[in-house]
Amino acid sequence: MNFPESLIEQLRRARRIVALTGAGISAESGLATFRDTQSGLWSKFRPEELATAEAFQRDPKFVQDWYAWRRQNALKAKPNAGHRAIADIEERAPEFLLVTQNVDGLHQRAGSKEMVELHGNIHRFRCFENDCAGDNFDIENGRCRSCGGHLRPGVVWFGEMLPVHALESATNAAEQCDAFFSIGTSSLVYPAADLWRRAKDNGALVIEINKDPTPLTPLADYSFLGRAGEILPALVQHIWIHGGGVGK
Ligand code: OAD
C-alpha cells in the first residue's frame, strides 16, 4: 500500500498523536456498527427503546437482555489487526492517547493502555436507582445488593452527559497533538465528532481512515477510504517499523 511522502514525513516527526475510534474499528472483529444501513444496530433497533434512561425505566429486563447479548458478542469477538496496530503506535510514538467511543473492551484486549472511553464500557455496571458506591452487585440477576435496585450497563445513553474526566482528557489531548487520527467512525455523534476540529484548529494534521465517506472526509488533510484492519497495519509498518519515526 502506498502513502503520500508528505504524510510519511509529517507522521515521522509527530511527537504527540491522538487516535479517535468508533464502531468501524471493531467491524472486522464481527461486531455490528450502529449506522451501516444493512447491518448497523440502529437499522434493527430503535435507540429510544434501548439506549435511554426512560427505556430502562419502562422495561429494565428488555434493556438488560439487549446489553447482555451485546456483552456476549463482545466477549466472543477477538481484537483484529486494526486494534493491534493502534496498540503498536502507542508502543512506538513518544506520546499517544487513544480516545474511543466503543464500549466493547477490544482495544484493551489488543494491548492499548493510554486510553479514554468516552461512552463507558459494556463490561461494567452501575446501580440505576441510587448509583450506590462500590460494586456490591448481583450481575446474574441484574440487581444491586446494597439497595435492591436494578443494574444498568456502565455506558453513556442518549441524553446523558459524557464522563467529565474522559471528555476533558480527550479534549486537552486533541488540542495539543501533532497528528489526529479519526478511525472507523461516522463523525456524526458529538462531542466526539468535534475533536478533530479542535486538533486542526491547533495546527494538527488530521487523518481519517474509514470505510465510507463522512462529514470529515472533505476536510481531513488525508482521508483513506477502506478497512482499518488493512490500512492501519500498513501505515504502522511504513512509519514506525521500517521508517524510523520518532520513538519514545
Ligand atoms: P457508526 O455506526 O455511526 O459509524 C461506523 C463507521 O465505521 C461508518 O462510517 C462505517 O463506514 C465505518 N466502518 C465500517 N467498517 C469499517 C472498517 N472495517 N474499517 C473502517 N471503517 C469502517 O459508529 P460510531 O461512529 O462509532 O453511541 O457511532 C458513534 C456513537 O453512536 C456510538 O458510540 C454509539 C452510537 O449511538 C452511544 O451508544 C452513546
Side-chain angles (χ1 to χ4, degrees), residues 38 60 71 82 84 106 114 134 150 154 156 158 160 194 217 229 238:
Q38 297 299 317
R71 197 173 298 119
R84 287 194 295 275
L106 287 178
E114 290 298 320
H150 291 95
V156 176
F158 288 96
E160 293 184 330
D194 187 47
T217 308
H238 256 76

Side-chain angles (χ1 to χ4, degrees), residues 19-34 36 77-87 89 96 98-108 110 112 115 181-186 209-211 226-233 236:
L20 169 72
T21 61
I25 187 97
S26 295
E28 288 160 74
S29 295
L31 297 183
T33 61
F34 291 94
D36 278 79
K78 292 194 176 69
N80 65 54
H83 296 110
R84 287 194 295 275
I86 290 175
I89 301 177
F96 180 81
L98 168 62
V99 179
T100 188
Q101 300 167 87
N102 297 348
V103 298
D104 56 32
L106 287 178
H107 280 301
Q108 290 92 329
S112 285
M115 64 180 290
F181 284 88
S182 177
I183 304 163
T185 174
S186 55
I209 298 173
N210 208 63
K211 189 164 66 72
R227 290 165 181 265
E230 290 166 8
I231 298 168
L232 271 170
V236 170

Side-chain angles (χ1 to χ4, degrees), residues 132-230:
C132 293
D135 57 356
N136 188 16
F137 297 154
D138 175 358
I139 309 277
E140 207 173 310
N141 295 304
R143 291 285 180 171
C144 172
R145 287 201 182 94
S146 302
C147 71
H150 291 95
L151 290 188
R152 58 162 287 177
V155 302
V156 176
W157 280 333
F158 288 96
E160 293 184 330
M161 303 286 288
L162 268 60
V164 175
H165 183 66
L167 183 58
E168 242 174 49
S169 305
T171 305
N172 290 341
E175 287 175 349
Q176 289 166 22
C177 70
D178 304 313
F180 182 96
F181 284 88
S182 177
I183 304 163
T185 174
S186 55
S187 290
L188 290 173
V189 175
Y190 287 78
D194 187 47
L195 290 171
W196 71 264
R197 195 178 290 283
R198 288 174 181 268
K200 197 169 174 76
D201 286 350
N202 285 282
L205 187 71
V206 174
I207 305 130
E208 181 186 53
I209 298 173
N210 208 63
K211 189 164 66 72
D212 304 297
T214 74
L216 167 58
T217 308
L219 305 167
D221 294 299
Y222 297 92
S223 180
F224 298 95
L225 292 183
R227 290 165 181 265
E230 290 166 8

Side-chain angles (χ1 to χ4, degrees), residues 7-19:
L7 168 66
I8 294 173
E9 275 311 307
Q10 291 178 83
L11 278 180
R12 281 186 186 155
R13 284 200 307 270
R15 299 200 63 84
R16 293 176 171 177
I17 298 178
V18 172

